[in-house]
Structure formats: structure tokens, C-alpha cells
Amino acid sequence: MPYSLLLGHRAPHLGAFLTLALAAGLGRPAAAQTAPQLGKASLKEVLAALTPDEKVRLVIGVGFYPSGFPAGMLPPGPPGGDKQPEKVAGAAGRTHAVPRLGIPALTLSDGPAGVRIDPIRGKDSTKTYYATAFPVATLLASTWDTTMVRRVGVAFGSEVRDFGIDVLLAPGMNIHRNPLGGRNFEYYSEDPVVTGNIAAALVNGVESNGVGTSIKHFAVNNQEFNRMQLNSKVSERALREIYLRGFQLAVKKSQPWTVMSSYNKVNGTYTSQSPDLLTTLLRQEWGFKGLVMTDWYGGQDAVAQLKAGNDLLEPGTLMQYNAVTEALKNGQLTPAQLDQNVTRVLELVMKSPTFKGYKYSSQPALKANAAVARQAAAEGMVLLRNQGAALPLAAGRKVALFGNTSYNLIAGGTGSGDVNRAYTISIAQGLGQAGFVANPALSQLYAQYVKAEKAKITKPKGLLDPAPVIAEMPLAADQLQPAVAAADIAIITLGRSAGEGGDRQVQDDFTLTAAEQALLKQVSTAFHAQGKKVVVVLNVGGVTEVASWRDQADAILLAWQPGQEGGHAVGDVLSGKVNPSGKLATTFPVRYADVPFSGNFPGKLLDASAKGGGLMGAPSENTYEEGIYVGYRYYNTFKVKPAYEFGYGLSYTTFKYGPLTVVRSPNNDITARVSVTNAGKVAGKEVVQLYVSAPKGQLEKPESELKAFAKTNLLQPGQSQTLTFKLTATDLASFNTATSSWVADAGTYTVKVGASSQAIKGQVALQLPKAVVTEKSRPLLVPQQPLSDLRVGQVAK
Ligand code: BGC
């Protein structure tokens, strides 16, 4: 969607911009030679030397001037913003410089799967600026491997640094509330413990390079529909336990340099304008020490944003500049408040590589980083089905490759989560390099078809336009039969693309299209008739329907959107070079209607006659009626059988679990231990999950909840490893809205160790003799009307 539409709701205000000559009336700068310099003088002295106008500029970005956008399509930036030289072409945001005080401009860049900048600068194509496209966030979470994700972060952050960027606008870490969420591929999981731990690992890895991150979108931005005007109505308990907990964990475990507030409202207030969220919770209760920035053009009231603790308004507009300047003059914004926001900007500047004079090369270690991308991709793929040990493929097998995305891999999602990469390895290429021989006639047929179809498609113009989809090619019997006769096995790849700017659809997106169903049926019937097997590879960014068709496939590999090295990684897994060890961090339900309150997604327009949809649309709301029963918390508690449950994933080997032991110390430090043995014939890794079921106390509780997880090393056949999990009473607690406190009830807990949320391998009772209040708060982000969480026995509509 073009930005003019994206920003449509502001159109009435744009005409009202005042061209105030402000600087003159707002104080005179100190002479350059005597002016205190940032980093040398104290912050107090620097603050004192800044003019009010300079302070206003420091909390507002310079504006957004992306190449390819006609002038006037985007709101104008603050005066002179367009004159500030751009350091990295295609970076999403910049801050103002104040050279006379030694304050440089910072450069901020997307996004969650790799550095997103222009690969070519101007007309000069002799030098390129391609970045590594790592696997999408959903795949990274499916590794359940914080060491691996940290390694990705280290590689990723080195590109941030080497391209001259100060802050990476990632990771995204909203909860997968509904499979249709258009940006789910940028997010990790339906569970806050997975989300928080994986995000912290990525942040720690990226920031080890001396650059910053921005965990986003804080908070409750679980869909794209009307995202800039949507009010998410959520109970306080669901907020604390589900939607905020991951952020809380990430802050605790990684203290990211920045947080990005989200576009939406929560319980009536824009998150970017909520002191409850940005000051009381984030800073006072959780101890966040960094800066908060808005999402691009997010919120409505710049002054309220600054007061709420949103220190930097990105990308910065003239309207914001005028509003803040005016508020400073008329007293609506106190100098003390502005100083607080400016201080946080200056603290960020002082940490940045730009301030430290880092000499960046614009030549990151692309080769080494591609190797990391490939390894991570293989580690996060999930083997969903493997009947009759269809996989791994024996060396040298002749394969018939079906499906457009076998030849045209979808590396990642669209919008700001996309990455300008130098290449993408297709599955056909990856399998070829792994030593498999693809049926040449069939490959030729697809190559021609994909080329011809691509030529018909008009290239998306806007950053947020969805990627066009090429329908599956109908196969005539005389095209199919030679491939059946010549190949040992069929591989069908089915692909999905989604991204910023729109949510997915049930029909033909969550479910298979008619053409895909026909392809699957035709190929599986023909191959099975010859006693030959069929493997389906899912090249998708989010959850899709599998239950209705999975019986037609002998094996299903969920390859996700695996980044630029995806084809190699698929080759590694299908050949058995890498034994799959990924597990689902989000449930695959049998049908869309099984998702709680699925019919309410993505929400409703407040004025039904208004034109809704898209990014802006009109004021809308979405009530989170399922409360805390999100994902497996719902399916397992309400006994709704999923297609593949949370935590599920197969391996080419099998694992045996030893007895679980659980010890509680008098101060409620809990240690659980279990030994895992590779009982099969090939080396492999196992993801081990620790769940806890709570006693019947004052609050309704899910059947069980994930509290910790770990992944074994690569275990050789017969080899064992003991895994240790440490919990405290905090991990057992739930949020009691009546008392605004987190409480672990007294009673008997059941600690369970599982290979998934339903494959429980051992359990031990744990007594908590006395209830423990682990955190005390006060009512925050309270819904305008009371919202109750579902109760067991109640049925979700
Ligand atoms: C997205 C953010 C992104 C920003 C800058 C916004 O539209 O929601 O995730 O970081 O743009 O590109």
C-alpha cells in the first residue's frame, strides 16, 4: 500500500501545518569553540548548552525520504530534515545531529531477518550493499536453541555494524495469537517463554557487536488490519501473562538498547502514548534503562508520546516538530520532561558506533554469515511427518520436483521484514548440490512456466504491496507420467508469502488452493501407484492447514521461510546431513475454526459504514475474548485436538528420557533434571520442554504451561546428556487482577518433562507449602469494560 494511503488518516492535519520560524525565538546557541562536547562534558552541561529547538529536533527523526517515492507522498519532515546527509541509503530512520556539541546523527535500519538497506546506491552498480537474508523469526524460534540464535545475532549484528548502522529495528516479538497475522513470520511463538528467551538471545548476539536493537512492537500488535487505528481490548491478566511477558523476559535477560512502541491502542490508549506501559511497567517495574521510539508515524499526539516516555518519534514529521515546539512554549510540555527524553537520546548516541567513530567497511563477511544462515535454517526446520522412514533420502536418488517454490524459494516475508540479498538458493539448486538428480524434463517445464508467469506479473510498487503469487501449474498426464517413471520419489513444495500491510486469508492461504490440492492429489496418486513416495516441503512463514491432505504425503518437512541459504538447508535435511531437530513454537490446528474466537479476527470497524481494511482503514477494535487461553494453553485445556501440537517435531532418530527429578530449596529455587539418550541409529539433537500444571487455587489455570526448555548437544547413538532446568517461584506465578500481583498459589504442582506439550515423558509432584507473592504492581492498562478470561467448560465461539 502506498504511503499516501497508509497515512490517509492524517490528511486533514497535513494541510494545517504551520511554517513557524521557531529557532529564532527559542534561544541562541553557544559559540562552537566554547560549547561542551558530548562524551567529554557532562550530560548536564550538554543539556544546558542545547537550545530548545535543538532539543525538540533530537526527539524527532529527520523525516523519511526513501528513494522511489514521489515528493509529497510522505508527510514532510521537520525543517531542514531533508538536508541532513544520508549515511546509509535505504535505512529506515535517522536522528538529528547537533555538530557544534559533538552530537552525530544515528542511523536506524530494519529488520528482523537481515539488514534492510538499498543494495545499489544511485546509478553506481559497481559496488553493492547486499545483506544476508537469515531465516525468518518463526524458524529461529523453532530451533529452540538460544546458542544458535545468539550466533545468528552475532553474525547479523556484524552486518549492522559493518554497514554503518547504529540500531537494528528488530527483533519483532509479538505473540502469534492467530495464524492469519500477516507479520507472524517476523515473530517467534504463541508462547511468551519461547518468545522472551529467543528474543533475548538474538538481542545479546546482535549487541555484542557494539550496535543496538529495538525489540518491537510493544505491545499487542498481533495483526495488520487497521493497525494504526485498532484498539486491542485485552484483560489485564492476559496482557501480563501472554502479551507482555515475553518483552519482560527480554528486558531482563538482554536489556536491549531500545524498545519500539506499536501502532495500535491497548484498552483505549495508543501504546506510544501510554505512561502505564512505557514508564510504570517498562521502566519502573521491569527496570528498562534504554530509549523508547515510536513505530513509523505511529500514534497521534507527539506531546503525549514524549510525556508517556516515548523518547524518539520516528521517522519524524513537521507536524510533530510544530506540536512539540508549541507545547514547550505554552507549558504543555515541561522543559524537565523534554530533558528526560533528550537525555535518553544522548545516552543512546554515546553508546553508538557512529559516536565512537567506528570505521565501517560496508563489506560484511557475507560468506561466513551465509554459513550461519544455512546452519540456523536447517536447525529450525520441523519434520512433521515421516511415514515408513520416507526421509532421509538415500544418496543419489532421482527426484521429481513439483511446485513453483521448488524452483523459486520464498526466502522471507515482505514489507520492512524483507531483505535485499544478493541471491537465494532454490530447493532445486540445494538438492542438486546435495547430490540428488532432479528430473530434467519436469524442471525445464517449471522453469519455463515460472518465467512466463513472472513476466505477466506487475512488480509491486510500494514497500508494503504483497508479493504476487504464481498459481500452481496444471500438469497434463503426458507431462506427469514420464517423471513418475523416471524418478524414485516426488517432492512437492508449497509456498506462502505474507507481510507487513495485510493479514492472511483462510481461503487459499491458510488452506490449500484448488490448484495445489489438484497437484497433490495427482502426484501422490501417480507416485503411490508405482510404490514411490511423496514428500511435501512447506515453504511458509506461518501456520497453514495440513490435516485434510497430510495422508497423501509420506513425509512433510516444514522448511518455513528459511532465508537466502534455504535451498541448501533443505538439501541438508532431506539428505540426512542434518538430522531435523526443530519443533513447533506455535500450534498447527486442524482447522481455522478451532482457533479460539477465530471468527472475531481481525476485529471490527467501529463505524460499520466506514471503509476499513488495509493498514489504515478506520477506527476498529478487536476483543481478545480468549484471555490467557492462547495457542496450546487453549487447545490443551479445552481438549481441542490440534493437527500438530505446540512443541512437536520428529527426528531421524529416537530419544529415551530418564527419570525426572525435581528439588525445591527452602527459598523456592527449583531444580529439575532429566537425562536424555539417543536410542536410535543416527546422531541427533532433542528439544526438551519443561511444563508445569498448577494446583487448583484462586485463579483459573491452563492445563499446563511451558516454563523452560533446552536442547541437547548433537548426541551420537547411545550417547546421553543430562539437562538441568532452574525455576523460581516467579515461574509458577499467575497475575491476580484483583490484587494486581503475581502469585504462586500454595499446593501441589506437577512438573512435567516433554518432547512436546502433549508427549509428556515424566512428571513429578512439587509441593509449595505457602503461597508466594512474587511481584506486586497496581492496576495498569485497565480495560474500559471488564473482560473476563475464559473459564474451563466455557466454549470459545
Ligand atoms: C514497521 C516497523 C519498521 C518501521 C521502519 C514500520 O512500518 O511496522 O516494524 O521497523 O516501519 O521501517
Side-chain angles (χ1 to χ4, degrees):
M1 167 162 304
Y3 268 89
S4 56
L5 291 182
L6 189 160
L7 301 161
H9 77 302
R10 291 202 181 74
H13 308 281
L14 295 179
F17 283 148
L18 302 173
T19 39
L20 297 177
L22 291 157
L26 290 174
R28 231 163 257 297
Q33 58 274 37
T34 57
Q37 297 295 298
L38 186 68
K40 298 204 177 89
S42 69
L43 268 185
K44 216 170 143 202
E45 288 168 296
V46 175
L47 275 176
L50 282 163
T51 66
D53 181 62
E54 285 166 338
K55 289 182 184 175
V56 172
R57 287 166 185 272
L58 280 172
V59 297
I60 299 174
V62 300
F64 194 33
Y65 313 97
S67 52
F69 273 78
M73 241 182 139
L74 292 168
D82 54 341
K83 302 282 172 322
Q84 186 169 290
E86 187 181 41
K87 184 176 164 195
V88 183
R94 284 180 282 156
T95 63
H96 273 97
V98 185
R100 67 181 191 90
L101 302 183
I103 304 171
L106 297 186
T107 303
L108 325 171
S109 175
D110 286 309
V115 175
R116 180 183 166 76
I117 53 175
D118 290 349
I120 311 280
R121 295 188 182 166
K123 292 199 170 55
D124 178 13
S125 57
T126 54
K127 197 158 180 242
T128 56
Y129 302 83
Y130 288 108
T132 302
F134 293 96
V136 298
T138 308
L139 182 148
L140 292 183
S142 308
T143 65
W144 298 67
D145 184 344
T146 50
T147 309
M148 183 72 239
V149 175
R150 191 181 196 284
R151 275 189 60 207
V152 170
V154 171
F156 194 163
S158 73
E159 296 195 11
V160 175
R161 183 195 64 205
D162 292 347
F163 278 125
I165 291 151
D166 298 293
V167 179
L168 174 72
L169 304 172
M173 51 181 301
N174 295 96
I175 290 290
H176 291 163
R177 173 177 176 240
N178 183 295
L180 303 186
R183 294 183 82 174
N184 280 359
F185 74 95
E186 295 186 55
Y187 306 144
Y188 294 122
S189 169
E190 66 191 18
D191 178 84
V193 170
V194 176
T195 297
N197 282 288
I198 297 289
L202 194 95
V203 168
N204 285 327
V206 172
E207 293 198 350
S208 70
N209 292 281
V211 294
T213 56
S214 196
I215 58 174
K216 69 186 187 185
H217 308 92
F218 190 56
V220 206
N221 186 174
N222 310 101
Q223 61 188 66
E224 289 299 278
F225 169 79
N226 287 345
R227 63 179 181 173
M228 293 173 101
Q229 298 211 54
L230 182 90
N231 182 23
S232 297
K233 295 163 72 179
V234 199
S235 76
E236 287 172 77
R237 181 172 175 197
L239 277 175
R240 303 283 189 132
E241 292 187 16
I242 307 293
Y243 298 100
L244 300 176
R245 195 62 168 177
F247 284 100
Q248 185 177 6
L249 285 171
V251 166
K252 185 173 152 202
K253 295 188 172 201
S254 65
Q255 195 60 249
W257 288 13
T258 81
V259 168
M260 186 190 292
S261 53
S262 59
Y263 281 130
N264 53 290
K265 297 176 184 175
V266 173
N267 294 333
T269 306
Y270 274 110
T271 58
S272 62
Q273 297 170 198
S274 168
D276 275 7
L277 187 65
L278 304 184
T279 296
T280 312
L281 257 182
L282 179 65
R283 293 194 156 100
Q284 293 168 359
E285 294 196 6
W286 301 353
F288 175 63
K289 302 212 175 4
L291 167 142
V292 177
M293 70 176 83
T294 60
D295 197 349
W296 268 228
Y297 304 108
Q300 272 178 336
D301 183 339
V303 176
Q305 288 175 322
L306 294 174
K307 285 183 181 169
N310 202 127
D311 311 299
L312 178 62
L313 315 183
E314 280 293 334
T317 66
L318 175 63
M319 192 168 78
Q320 290 167 333
Y321 171 83
N322 288 342
V324 175
T325 304
E326 186 55 35
L328 197 57
K329 278 200 206 150
N330 68 22
Q332 274 172 8
L333 183 70
T334 63
Q337 174 63 63
L338 183 60
D339 278 0
Q340 193 176 60
N341 303 119
V342 170
T343 300
R344 295 201 190 108
V345 174
L346 295 179
E347 284 167 350
L348 180 68
V349 171
M350 284 197 288
K351 288 196 275 197
S352 69
T354 298
F355 179 75
K356 292 180 178 163
Y358 181 73
K359 299 264 176 297
Y360 59 100
S361 63
S362 291
Q363 287 177 322
L366 292 178
K367 211 162 163 218
N369 297 346
V372 177
R374 174 175 181 167
Q375 203 188 344
E379 297 274 325
M381 291 181 184
V382 185
L383 183 62
L384 294 177
R385 182 178 171 91
N386 198 15
Q387 299 295 105
L391 294 176
L393 303 175
R397 296 256 99 174
K398 285 183 266 166
V399 297
L401 271 181
F402 298 92
N404 302 327
T405 42
S406 287
Y407 302 89
N408 199 24
L409 182 84
I410 300 172
T414 57
S416 60
D418 194 8
V419 184
N420 294 313
R421 56 197 172 272
Y423 65 87
T424 302
I425 303 293
S426 70
I427 293 176
Q429 288 171 309
L431 287 175
Q433 288 184 27
F436 300 104
V437 185
N439 182 270
L442 190 63
S443 300
Q444 176 73 10
L445 210 58
Y446 269 103
Q448 281 165 357
Y449 175 75
V450 170
K451 196 169 165 209
E453 292 302 304
K454 269 189 175 173
K456 287 187 210 158
I457 292 168
T458 39
K459 247 189 137 201
K461 285 198 200 76
L463 166 67
L464 304 182
D465 289 348
V469 179
I470 302 174
E472 285 304 340
M473 173 172 75
L475 283 171
D478 64 343
Q479 292 171 320
L480 177 62
Q481 280 315 324
V484 181
D488 300 313
I489 191 161
I491 297 177
I492 309 173
T493 309
L494 301 174
R496 287 289 179 276
S497 177
E500 188 179 357
D503 292 309
R504 295 172 58 205
Q505 304 298 318
V506 179
Q507 183 80 24
D508 296 345
D509 186 346
F510 179 74
T511 60
L512 298 192
T513 64
E516 288 168 334
Q517 288 176 37
L519 176 70
L520 194 56
K521 187 144 185 237
Q522 209 183 356
V523 172
S524 67
T525 309
F527 275 77
H528 287 155
Q530 299 292 317
K532 295 177 180 179
K533 293 191 166 145
V534 176
V535 176
V536 172
V537 175
L538 289 174
N539 176 201
V540 299
V543 172
T544 54
E545 191 273 328
V546 291
S548 71
W549 57 264
R550 62 181 158 190
D551 287 349
Q552 296 175 57
D554 299 281
I556 304 175
L557 178 69
L558 174 58
W560 297 115
Q561 290 168 344
Q564 69 182 39
E565 285 287 327
H568 282 143
V570 169
D572 291 341
V573 173
L574 293 186
S575 66
K577 184 176 164 201
V578 174
N579 187 348
S581 60
K583 294 201 180 186
L584 295 180
T586 291
T587 307
F588 271 52
V590 170
R591 57 187 80 80
Y592 178 69
D594 289 347
V595 177
F597 298 98
S598 53
N600 293 359
F601 186 87
K604 59 174 190 219
L605 292 164
L606 289 179
D607 171 1
S609 64
K611 270 210 167 135
L615 276 177
M616 288 310 311
S620 313
E621 66 176 29
N622 190 351
T623 308
Y624 287 38
E625 310 214 36
E626 73 282 8
I628 59 166
Y629 293 104
V630 177
Y632 71 92
R633 285 170 168 80
Y634 171 76
Y635 300 111
N636 290 354
T637 309
F638 293 82
K639 313 246 178 303
V640 178
K641 201 173 163 15
Y644 296 113
E645 75 272 13
F646 177 80
Y648 172 89
L650 300 174
S651 164
Y652 297 151
T653 187
T654 52
F655 296 96
K656 245 186 81 211
Y657 284 63
L660 173 70
T661 62
V662 180
V663 179
R664 181 182 65 85
S665 75
N667 62 355
N668 295 324
D669 285 335
I670 299 153
T671 308
R673 276 201 181 87
V674 69
S675 152
V676 176
T677 306
N678 182 347
K681 294 200 171 57
V682 290
K685 298 178 184 175
E686 170 74 328
V687 171
V688 181
Q689 302 152 43
L690 199 77
Y691 294 89
V692 172
S693 301
K696 188 121 201 65
Q698 282 179 18
L699 301 173
E700 283 280 327
K701 293 266 198 169
E703 182 268 333
S704 65
E705 291 180 289
L706 182 80
K707 299 300 176 187
F709 60 89
K711 194 166 188 173
T712 65
N713 302 326
L714 185 70
L715 298 178
Q716 296 303 323
Q719 198 183 352
S720 305
Q721 185 181 352
T722 298
L723 299 171
T724 304
F725 304 89
K726 301 246 180 222
L727 304 182
T728 65
T730 305
D731 297 299
L732 305 182
S734 293
F735 189 75
N736 186 337
T737 312
T739 58
S740 293
S741 53
W742 288 83
V743 188
D745 277 324
T748 308
Y749 290 78
T750 310
V751 180
K752 303 171 176 178
V753 68
S756 82
S757 60
Q758 294 186 352
I760 300 302
K761 304 289 185 181
Q763 59 183 59
V764 167
L766 170 79
Q767 304 298 330
L768 195 66
K770 275 200 317 233
V772 187
V773 174
T774 58
E775 293 165 61
K776 192 90 190 89
S777 183
R778 62 179 178 75
L780 295 170
L781 301 157
V782 181
Q784 290 133 310
Q785 294 103 26
L787 277 171
S788 56
D789 285 306
L790 273 184
R791 301 189 77 80
V792 178
Q794 226 176 313
V795 181
K797 282 165 276 168

